Amino acid sequence: MQEISRLFDHELANYPETYRPILTANRSRLIWQVSQIVENIAPGGQLLDIGAGIVPFMLICRKLGYAVTIIDDLGDSTYQNPDRDRVMERFAKAGVR
């Protein structure tokens, strides 16, 4: 869980300021969710997140060695800001499909 917390904090520090408050508010839940993946699926496993949004959940899983695919139209008002594209670029560079 320490590694997951470290990865989350690293990603949070690199996220656009506009998303940090909601990510900080959901930090414990997101770290717990990633820990459930780690406990139940071996690294290298394939993960699919439908309705993924742009939280660092799958980005962290990718950095832990999982093959990750996200599906989301990003149509919610939360994602209608210019920083969205910066986050999606981070996903692509990390190998999130």
Side-chain angles (χ1 to χ4, degrees), residues 38-86:
V38 171
E39 289 176 18
N40 293 291
I41 302 172
Q46 295 186 12
L47 306 175
L48 171 64
D49 190 347
I50 298 173
I54 59 171
V55 298
F57 177 78
M58 285 300 190
L59 186 56
I60 293 167
C61 289
R62 179 68 189 119
K63 291 185 175 190
L64 290 169
Y66 296 91
V68 178
T69 301
I70 62 172
I71 298 173
D72 198 316
D73 66 0
L74 302 175
D76 298 344
S77 61
T78 304
Y79 307 120
Q80 302 310 309
N81 81 54
D83 291 328
R84 177 186 77 181
D85 293 336
R86 285 183 43 209

